[in-house]
Amino acid sequence: MTTGSKDATSAESRRATRKVMRTLGEIVPDGKDHGTGCTVLDMSASGARLKVDGAVRKAFAPTLAIPDAFRLLIARDNISIDCRLAWRDNDMIGVSFTSTFRPIKAPAKRA
């Protein structure tokens, strides 16, 4: 995982073209049912750039408690994607996808 800002060469070395999204998502740690809200700023076939909700900027302190691996849920599109944290910069994170896009499983109905 890389920490800090990205350089110009990282954009040039991307394998897939990114599409601007600006849609709501949720970062859900493994083994949890809910997590932290985010905005999916852009996405490609291999990863995404996310703005994490509620991140506080503090000098010389980590600002995000984001695990190295998690699920990204995008309710609008009914998809769930396993992700690995690639970089972080204040309230922004970059992720690489480690699974295919899957439908979000509906919660079990109560009798």
Side-chain angles (χ1 to χ4, degrees):
M1 170 182 59
T2 303
T3 305
S5 61
K6 297 117 350 255
D7 59 19
T9 58
S10 65
E12 295 169 8
S13 64
R14 278 197 190 102
R15 290 172 282 185
T17 303
R18 291 191 178 259
K19 177 183 174 190
V20 175
M21 299 284 293
R22 307 280 193 262
T23 191
L24 298 178
E26 185 177 7
I27 297 166
V28 181
D30 290 341
K32 302 288 184 182
D33 292 330
H34 62 280
T36 303
C38 67
T39 302
V40 181
L41 299 174
D42 54 52
M43 182 184 290
S44 72
S46 61
R49 183 170 57 110
L50 312 176
K51 182 177 186 302
V52 181
D53 294 350
V56 178
R57 295 177 189 227
K58 294 181 181 177
F60 308 109
T63 58
L64 303 173
I66 303 296
D68 288 338
F70 57 87
R71 283 177 294 137
L72 174 61
L73 304 180
I74 303 175
R76 181 189 80 178
D77 298 327
N78 192 43
I79 58 172
S80 172
I81 315 150
D82 294 336
C83 299
R84 178 152 306 277
L85 185 63
W87 57 264
R88 64 176 76 219
D89 186 10
N90 291 316
D91 59 350
M92 302 285 206
I93 63 172
V95 300
S96 57
F97 299 144
T98 59
S99 74
T100 58
F101 292 22
R102 302 178 307 273
I104 296 173
K105 294 179 182 175
K109 293 184 180 181
R110 295 182 180 196

